[in-house]
Amino acid sequence: EVNLPIAFHGEAKKKKQSFLALAACVRLHKLGLLNERLLPLSTSDMKDWLLEKALLELPSCRRHRPTCFETPCTAFYVYSICQSGVSFKEEEEELSQQESGVMRLALLSLSVLPKNLPVYSFKHKELGSIECRVSYCGKKSLSAKQWKDLTDFHCAVFNSRWQQRRKRSKRFCFDEGLLADQDRAFPPYFIGCIDAGGDIDWILMQRTIREFSRSLAAREEAAQRNRMERPRICSPSYNQGVSYIVYGPSGKQCKDPFPGEDYSSFQDYYAKKYCLQINPNGNMFLAKRVMDLPQTLKATKMEPNIDNDTKIIPSVELPEELLAECLLADPIIVLHSVILPQLLYRLESYLTVMAFIQHCVYNFPILGYCLTEISDVGLNRVVESLTAKSCCMDVTYDRLEWLGDAVLKLLHTDSLLKWEYTSYLHEGYLTMIRSVMGSNDRLKDIASAAGFDKFILLRPLNRAEWSPFGLRYCGVDENGNQDILCNDDNVQKREPSNKMRADVIEALMGLIFIEFGYEQCAKVAHEMRLSLPADIADNICRTWCSISPDQDLVSFAVNFVGGTRFHNPCLLVEATTHQSCLHKPVPSYQRLEWVGDAVLCLAAREWLFRREEQLPVSKLVVLETTLVCNESLAYLGYAKGLHRFVDHRNAAFPGRFQSYELDLDMGRGLWSTDPPKVISDVVEALIGA
């Protein structure tokens, strides 16, 4: 009996009840009689107090700040970009009309890049397979004039290769403010040219800058004055959006017959098709369309036999007087920049992931050790764990996030079950606390506190979302001069959403689990404050029953779970006790069912993850649901005879068992029956035990 102290007799009724409930709780706890059927605290009080205890304070992360560079920069680390491929080399030799490999593009970085940079392979529908190697050439010093030439060349190349076609009134220009960006994960870089000896080719770069700054009239004059001693990139006046590689006079004039029967001559063709009058004695130049310039990584996919039957781009003949050189008229530079955006995009991703690993080594030694071990074998899995769905890549963190969700679920289940403040609670309240611990709000806070934001790969490779380092759009006036920066452009710094932050945490846990196992996951979770640490959790739960099971139940359970020996056989009594057994001094199976649900979820997802390596998450979810649904578990339990060991006082169960057995004997099929839920619950309880 619990009596209310005299001091509380004048209090409100609700306060009296709360005090009596607390006193009863203390008394029951002291006597060891507190179980899930006697919960004196209100839900709101319990939730607020327990969540305050369970959600540990997140430590501040020591973020590594990138170096800020002042302009003009005077020292660069030069890396040559060597592109190779059978069709690529043939095209290069044809355009250069001299020994191939004289000119190469180069990546000039303000910081040293990691050693042994990966070799990237790309598929192009016209040039076939292209292999790209980025190799260190040495450190170079630059003057202020050379710094200006380098940034201008960088802008010229990407204004020609990566400018949005719908924004011709805007151009890329160099923004010096990006050098001081504290959120970048890779060092600043620029694109330049080097000669065969590995020295920066300032003459070629300066010539390219001058050509890029020409007016339309000057480019038309250049096309007509230049007798095409070497191939040039030109556009016809009637369709300036299409570029051609022009090789020189074809030996024909505009008055010569036009191929086909619809037009009598080239002059007649342009008069009727484009309403243009051209000089009949003008020269016709041999040309072919510029090779395809892919915008995305996926756009370069081809059939497997493309290298064996790469076809030559059909040639055309264009009148000399209608041609104007393009802003970037050197076909060798254009050829070497065909897959340049794809290469830089992949290289930025690689450098971001390497910076992320170093960040984890510096702040989270256990996680950093695991990621370093993985990267020594292959970096693809780490890249996968950081790649958001918005990147539109073939492989994203979806599968790892799906697996990591189950890992966190079991980690939280395990820690709550052993924690002194929650080990007595009903599974409904445990589920509530577990849901808050693993919620997106909590995980995104952890990701932000850990400094993972800037390492998430979220930009897709397209002209609207991604641009090379240092470039921003600026307006262009009528004379082609650059105006102020356009701050409202889409190509701006994009922040990851809260969902992305939470997904990356789960993906990392899935990656650690699949590579190192559950125990290492528990250490990483403790290090990142994802779950309750072991030093505040009891190793033995005080509320497990102490009644020894009979030998038949032990033998059945061992055989049911595949020969695994139970460290605490007394748990089998609780796992088979239904909540209708009010007379029995044993908790019901509900809490062990709650544990088994988390164990079964992780086991099913791990098995599917390893077995179905190519299936997307949408199909994996369907398979998982099929494996762990009530119908599957009930059929498995009933087929093994589990219903014979269920201890209950429910008069309806025998009839339900008999009806279910009759349905199975009649061959109604697994999905056409209505199995008793108690069987599937006890299956999960045995797994939890």
Side-chain angles (χ1 to χ4, degrees):
E1 181 179 358
V2 179
N3 296 319
L4 187 67
I6 299 177
F8 283 85
H9 286 179
E11 298 291 341
K13 180 179 179 182
K14 187 173 183 180
K15 190 170 184 179
K16 293 179 182 179
Q17 292 176 342
S18 298
F19 181 82
L20 286 172
L22 179 61
C25 179
V26 173
R27 179 70 60 84
L28 292 171
H29 171 55
K30 186 174 182 62
L31 297 176
L33 298 176
L34 189 66
N35 58 40
E36 73 272 13
R37 290 185 289 274
L38 296 172
L39 292 172
L41 296 179
S42 66
T43 303
S44 59
D45 292 340
M46 182 184 304
K47 178 180 177 181
D48 295 340
W49 189 85
L50 288 176
L51 290 183
E52 182 180 354
K53 292 283 188 180
L55 301 182
L56 304 176
E57 182 180 355
L58 299 177
S60 58
C61 180
R62 298 174 295 174
R63 299 196 182 200
H64 173 67
R65 295 295 183 183
T67 305
C68 293
F69 299 94
E70 296 181 358
T71 58
C73 299
T74 58
F76 281 87
Y77 299 88
V78 182
Y79 294 82
S80 67
I81 301 175
C82 180
Q83 304 181 48
S84 60
V86 176
S87 299
F88 181 89
K89 285 299 182 183
E90 292 176 354
E91 186 74 16
E92 185 182 41
E93 292 174 1
E94 178 184 336
L95 294 176
S96 62
Q97 298 180 353
Q98 52 186 330
E99 183 181 355
S100 63
V102 173
M103 191 282 298
R104 289 180 184 174
L105 292 180
L107 186 143
L108 284 74
S109 172
L110 289 176
S111 300
V112 179
L113 301 183
K115 296 181 180 180
N116 302 320
L117 293 172
V119 178
Y120 296 106
S121 296
F122 301 93
K123 296 288 187 178
H124 191 275
K125 64 183 180 182
E126 295 161 359
L127 299 174
S129 294
I130 304 176
E131 188 176 86
C132 297
R133 296 177 182 271
V134 181
S135 304
Y136 180 64
C137 294
K139 186 176 181 180
K140 305 290 183 182
S141 298
L142 275 65
S143 64
K145 174 63 169 60
Q146 291 172 334
W147 161 256
K148 180 67 166 57
D149 290 341
L150 176 62
T151 56
D152 289 346
F153 181 82
H154 185 69
C155 295
V157 169
F158 287 103
N159 273 314
S160 173
R161 175 63 184 89
W162 202 243
Q163 184 184 12
Q164 294 190 53
R165 296 190 177 119
R166 291 179 296 177
K167 294 187 176 182
R168 295 299 180 183
S169 62
K170 298 180 181 179
R171 287 184 186 173
F172 281 126
C173 60
F174 174 63
D175 183 6
E176 294 183 356
L178 296 177
L179 290 173
D181 184 10
Q182 295 292 303
D183 290 330
R184 52 181 165 81
F186 50 85
Y189 65 84
F190 300 90
I191 295 299
C193 287
I194 58 174
D195 55 25
D199 295 324
I200 301 177
D201 195 340
W202 295 110
I203 297 177
L204 176 59
M205 292 170 59
Q206 291 168 0
R207 185 181 69 206
T208 302
I209 295 168
R210 289 194 302 269
E211 292 176 351
F212 186 83
S213 61
R214 294 175 298 178
S215 64
L216 176 60
R219 290 186 281 118
E220 290 176 347
E221 181 183 355
Q224 297 173 14
R225 183 181 67 251
N226 184 6
R227 303 304 298 174
M228 297 298 172
E229 297 177 355
R230 55 191 177 91
R232 301 288 284 173
I233 305 294
C234 300
S235 295
S237 59
Y238 54 85
N239 191 356
Q240 297 184 11
V242 179
S243 300
Y244 293 87
I245 304 175
V246 181
Y247 293 92
S250 65
K252 296 182 181 180
Q253 294 183 330
C254 298
K255 62 184 179 182
D256 290 340
F258 186 83
E261 301 178 354
D262 296 336
Y263 305 97
S264 60
S265 64
F266 290 99
Q267 181 186 19
D268 182 49
Y269 168 78
Y270 286 100
K272 292 180 179 179
K273 183 145 183 97
Y274 299 104
C275 299
L276 297 173
Q277 298 299 324
I278 59 176
N279 182 8
N281 297 320
N283 293 323
M284 299 297 295
F285 280 5
L286 185 65
K288 70 177 181 181
R289 286 283 295 271
V290 169
M291 61 289 297
D292 181 67
L293 302 176
Q295 297 186 46
T296 65
L297 291 173
K298 292 185 177 181
T300 60
K301 283 187 175 181
M302 306 177 304
E303 297 298 328
N305 62 347
I306 188 68
D307 292 330
N308 300 326
D309 58 356
T310 302
K311 297 182 179 180
I312 299 176
I313 306 173
S315 60
V316 297
E317 290 177 292
L318 302 173
E320 175 186 9
E321 62 185 275
L322 297 182
L323 294 178
E325 287 191 355
C326 295
L327 293 172
L328 187 61
D330 192 328
I332 296 294
I333 297 180
V334 172
L335 174 66
H336 280 258
S337 63
V338 166
I339 60 169
L340 184 60
Q342 285 73 15
L343 172 63
L344 295 179
Y345 180 81
R346 296 279 296 274
L347 188 60
E348 283 185 6
S349 300
Y350 171 80
L351 295 176
T352 300
V353 172
M354 293 300 294
F356 171 72
I357 295 176
Q358 293 302 315
H359 173 81
C360 292
V361 170
Y362 183 67
N363 289 283
F364 306 102
I366 300 176
L367 176 60
Y369 166 78
C370 294
L371 296 179
T372 303
E373 290 292 313
I374 297 173
S375 63
D376 289 342
V377 179
L379 203 64
N380 292 338
R381 273 285 170 83
V382 185
V383 176
E384 179 182 346
S385 66
L386 294 175
T387 304
K389 291 181 288 186
S390 60
C391 282
C392 301
M393 301 287 284
D394 291 330
V395 179
T396 63
Y397 58 49
D398 268 7
R399 285 170 52 90
L400 287 174
E401 181 261 331
W402 174 72
L403 178 64
D405 177 72
V407 175
L408 281 179
K409 183 178 180 180
L410 185 56
L411 285 172
H412 293 155
T413 300
D414 192 27
S415 61
L416 288 175
L417 207 61
K418 296 176 180 179
W419 194 26
E420 60 177 339
Y421 295 117
T422 55
S423 58
Y424 303 96
L425 295 181
H426 187 273
E427 74 278 358
Y429 297 100
L430 292 173
T431 300
M432 178 267 296
I433 300 174
R434 184 179 67 183
S435 298
V436 176
M437 292 175 66
S439 65
N440 285 342
D441 286 340
R442 175 65 175 175
L443 296 182
K444 63 93 174 173
D445 290 340
I446 293 175
S448 298
F452 291 172
D453 310 51
K454 68 179 182 181
F455 301 106
I456 300 176
L457 306 176
L458 50 91
R459 282 190 180 185
L461 180 63
N462 60 58
R463 290 185 171 102
E465 297 284 344
W466 178 86
S467 62
F469 173 80
L471 300 183
R472 260 188 201 172
Y473 277 113
C474 59
V476 180
D477 60 20
E478 296 178 355
N479 299 322
N481 298 320
Q482 294 177 354
D483 203 351
I484 60 174
L485 290 175
C486 301
N487 295 322
D488 58 344
D489 202 87
N490 288 333
V491 187
Q492 297 289 333
K493 184 170 65 174
R494 181 175 172 182
E495 295 292 338
S497 65
N498 292 338
K499 179 69 165 58
M500 289 180 183
R501 293 182 174 97
D503 288 348
V504 164
I505 293 294
E506 292 178 330
L508 287 172
M509 295 306 299
L511 174 63
I512 301 303
F513 173 78
I514 210 67
E515 296 290 342
F516 297 97
Y518 181 79
E519 291 185 3
Q520 194 72 357
C521 276
K523 296 178 182 178
V524 173
H526 179 200
E527 182 180 50
M528 298 180 62
R529 305 295 180 92
L530 285 167
S531 67
L532 300 173
D535 56 356
I536 66 170
D538 294 331
N539 292 324
I540 300 176
C541 295
R542 303 171 186 170
T543 55
W544 302 130
C545 73
S546 57
I547 300 179
S548 300
D550 56 46
Q551 192 58 38
D552 290 342
L553 176 58
V554 175
S555 300
F556 171 83
V558 170
N559 180 67
F560 184 81
V561 298
T564 301
R565 184 177 65 87
F566 287 85
H567 296 289
N568 186 5
C570 296
L571 293 176
L572 297 177
V573 177
E574 182 171 338
T576 54
T577 300
H578 188 258
Q579 55 263 38
S580 60
C581 295
L582 298 178
H583 69 288
K584 196 172 182 181
V586 177
S588 68
Y589 61 65
Q590 289 178 307
R591 187 168 39 180
L592 283 176
E593 176 210 345
W594 178 75
V595 179
D597 174 73
V599 175
L600 187 61
C601 177
L602 179 57
R605 291 190 182 186
E606 181 189 6
W607 183 76
L608 289 171
F609 186 92
R610 296 183 185 276
R611 186 176 185 273
E612 305 292 343
E613 296 182 354
Q614 303 300 325
L615 284 186
V617 171
S618 58
K619 295 184 178 180
L620 291 174
V621 169
V622 174
L623 294 177
E624 178 200 359
T625 304
T626 304
L627 289 175
V628 302
C629 66
N630 287 336
E631 289 80 2
S632 299
L633 298 181
Y635 178 81
L636 176 64
Y638 200 89
K640 296 288 187 178
L642 178 60
H643 58 287
R644 296 182 289 107
F645 296 93
V646 178
D647 190 1
H648 65 89
R649 296 298 182 270
N650 192 319
F653 280 176
R656 291 290 308 278
F657 294 159
Q658 186 177 5
S659 175
Y660 180 61
E661 183 178 6
L662 182 61
D663 289 340
L664 294 177
D665 292 340
M666 294 177 60
R668 295 184 61 183
L670 186 64
W671 310 111
S672 300
T673 60
D674 182 22
K677 188 175 183 301
V678 62
I679 301 179
S680 59
D681 290 346
V682 174
V683 169
E684 292 180 331
L686 282 179
I687 295 174

